[in-house]
Amino acid sequence: MKRCYVVVYTEQGYRYYKVQRPQEKLKASDLVREHVSRVEGSHNESIWDRVNAYYEDILKSKDMVLQGPPDPVLEKVDADFNHFHLYIEQGNAIADNFYSDILGSEKFGTRIGSSKANEVLFPLQNLQNEVCGYFVDTKTGVGDYGESAIGNSLWYSNIPESIDWLIVFKDPREAIAFDKKFRLKNVVYLALGEINYDTTRILFQIQRLTKLKKIVLTFTGSKKIEGYLRDLHFISLMDDSNFLLTLNERDLSVRFDIGEEKSFLRFFNSTKKFNQGLAKSFLNYNKVINQNLINQNSILVSKEDDNIKVRVPLEVNAIKYFVWSYFKNYLSKSLDILKPTYANWNSEWEATQSIQLKGKEVQPEDYRIAL
């Protein structure tokens, strides 16, 4: 059922842990209790009634009771054992030239390694700062390694003594390409394989520890629209009671608090400007306005008490414009959003290698989201 457990043999006997929480060693009785808690009993039985009935069923079956030593015999390990530590080998040479100049570096030295098969690995940390898996960089892209709990953890670069930047990416390769381009100091790079409640919770915990007012988002994808959709997903988790996002077949529905009147008016006027531009562009190819067709491709805003309801068509310019307008009018004090000219930072860095900048040094601020 997509749940992965690891069984270990310790001085205290047999234990197991979930891959997302290697620091928490559990007993067989915990596994039984977890299982029966998902099974509805008859006649409103308590969980203890169901646990007892399950144990009785186990004891009736010889197949469920160990007779003698287990096969195969497990090697005894310490109580704090974590099998993920066995996967990575620090200091190994990495064949990919992209990483050759960062091995042992101050920013990434302990946050990158390789497997025994010489795959590039990046350790993922959970909320308790325990390794619970890895990103792996392969020829097909960056993804999760084996049974890694990528949905319950994130990767981050080494933490400097002084921190001025906290920048979030979709994967570590993007973060390293960004650093190759800008060479920032006093920065922590982070990568979220999945944007969900667990990973954003870890991110905001790191933000509290660093005491930085702003997080910098720079999500990307194989196409630009993927980055903007990740922005929306992340924003919806920043304050899930305020920003409610629903993906429909033909559009996105968003509901959020109206906030300050000035913020609402600026947001409303900016979407009105987008829709007017859409209608004007339509007339370049048609003599008569088709208002129904215009509405289907417009950003529609309505006000309901203290809430704003917005319908955004699934079209790249509309989504980009909505993200920009909402960020500018509601989130500019807590977020910055950077976007590369190309689809992702790796492509951006590769492109600038062959371009003479003629003495002009670009800054991250030059890539702030704008239209």
Side-chain angles (χ1 to χ4, degrees):
M1 297 179 71
K2 298 183 179 180
R3 293 193 295 271
C4 189
Y5 303 152
V6 178
V7 178
V8 294
Y9 179 47
T10 72
E11 289 288 350
Q12 292 78 37
Y14 292 97
R15 296 291 185 268
Y16 77 95
Y17 57 85
K18 303 176 183 181
V19 290
Q20 63 266 34
R21 295 178 61 83
Q23 74 281 356
E24 184 179 63
K25 303 302 189 291
L26 302 167
K27 301 177 182 178
S29 57
D30 295 308
L31 186 63
V32 171
R33 183 165 47 83
E34 180 183 346
H35 172 71
V36 300
S37 68
R38 294 183 170 92
V39 179
E40 187 175 351
S42 59
H43 308 298
N44 294 322
E45 292 174 319
S46 74
I47 187 172
W48 312 120
D49 295 327
R50 283 177 279 152
V51 167
N52 182 66
Y54 196 85
Y55 271 116
E56 288 182 355
D57 287 341
I58 290 175
L59 295 173
K60 290 176 185 177
S61 172
K62 292 182 179 180
D63 294 337
M64 294 294 289
V65 181
L66 291 175
Q67 303 293 335
D71 185 26
V73 176
L74 297 182
E75 177 186 350
K76 188 179 289 186
V77 296
D78 293 334
D80 62 352
F81 175 81
N82 179 352
H83 78 289
F84 284 116
H85 293 307
L86 304 178
Y87 287 170
I88 196 167
E89 297 188 7
Q90 296 287 351
N92 269 15
I94 294 178
D96 191 334
N97 291 331
F98 178 79
Y99 297 109
S100 59
D101 62 336
I102 67 164
L103 295 178
S105 68
E106 188 175 342
K107 289 177 185 172
F108 304 106
T110 63
R111 306 301 298 159
I112 182 175
S114 64
S115 69
K116 293 178 181 178
N118 210 33
E119 299 159 302
V120 182
L121 299 180
F122 303 88
L124 293 158
Q125 315 289 137
N126 63 14
L127 190 61
Q128 289 72 36
N129 207 33
E130 180 61 77
V131 176
C132 61
Y134 299 92
F135 278 112
V136 59
D137 192 351
T138 66
K139 292 180 180 179
T140 58
V142 179
D144 51 328
Y145 184 71
E147 70 280 5
S148 298
I150 199 167
N152 307 88
S153 54
L154 55 76
W155 171 87
Y156 55 82
S157 61
N158 289 332
I159 299 176
E161 291 184 9
S162 177
I163 302 173
D164 299 326
W165 297 82
L166 201 61
I167 311 180
V168 188
F169 301 82
K170 75 176 182 70
D171 63 55
R173 188 180 182 97
E174 284 288 272
I176 292 169
F178 184 93
D179 187 70
K180 285 175 179 285
K181 182 173 179 62
F182 296 109
R183 302 294 181 184
L184 295 182
K185 296 180 180 179
N186 302 329
V187 60
V188 177
Y189 299 122
L190 306 103
L192 307 183
E194 291 184 13
I195 302 170
N196 57 37
Y197 177 75
D198 285 344
T199 56
T200 51
R201 214 171 98 189
I202 302 170
L203 174 58
F204 289 130
Q205 177 175 278
I206 293 173
Q207 183 191 22
R208 285 194 295 272
L209 291 173
T210 60
K211 298 180 180 178
L212 290 179
K213 292 182 179 179
K214 281 190 177 184
I215 292 173
V216 180
L217 293 187
T218 179
F219 291 126
T220 54
S222 58
K223 297 180 180 180
K224 288 189 176 182
I225 192 171
E226 292 180 19
Y228 289 105
L229 290 174
R230 287 190 174 101
D231 292 334
L232 286 174
H233 193 181
F234 182 85
I235 291 169
S236 72
L237 289 165
M238 284 183 65
D239 185 358
D240 55 6
S241 63
N242 172 41
F243 191 93
L244 304 177
L245 175 67
T246 304
L247 178 61
N248 305 312
E249 185 178 350
R250 296 171 57 182
D251 54 47
L252 294 166
S253 295
V254 185
R255 184 188 295 269
F256 54 89
D257 292 345
I258 192 169
E260 295 181 2
E261 191 69 21
K262 289 182 179 179
S263 297
F264 166 68
L265 288 174
R266 286 196 296 263
F267 172 80
F268 180 80
N269 288 331
S270 71
T271 54
K272 184 179 178 182
K273 182 180 178 181
F274 173 84
N275 294 336
Q276 289 172 341
L278 196 67
K280 185 177 180 180
S281 176
F282 185 86
L283 287 174
N284 290 336
Y285 305 96
N286 301 273
K287 293 182 179 180
V288 180
I289 282 283
N290 183 333
Q291 195 59 50
N292 185 50
L293 193 57
I294 294 292
N295 289 342
Q296 288 179 24
N297 293 276
S298 298
I299 301 174
L300 303 182
V301 181
S302 60
K303 183 178 175 183
E304 298 179 1
D305 298 324
D306 292 331
N307 291 322
I308 299 174
K309 186 176 180 180
V310 185
R311 187 197 69 83
V312 186
L314 290 177
E315 188 271 323
V316 60
N317 287 332
I319 293 172
K320 178 181 178 181
Y321 197 96
F322 172 76
V323 171
W324 168 79
S325 183
Y326 183 79
F327 154 71
K328 181 179 179 182
N329 295 300
Y330 285 95
L331 296 177
S332 58
K333 292 181 180 179
S334 58
L335 279 185
D336 260 340
I337 299 180
L338 307 180
K339 293 295 181 186
T341 306
Y342 291 82
N344 53 62
W345 288 109
N346 192 58
S347 299
E348 187 80 21
W349 174 75
E350 288 177 346
T352 56
Q353 297 310 291
S354 58
I355 296 175
Q356 288 287 340
L357 296 179
K358 298 180 180 179
K360 181 183 178 183
E361 187 176 343
V362 293
Q363 302 295 331
E365 291 87 346
D366 297 333
Y367 288 85
R368 278 196 175 114
I369 182 174
L371 295 173

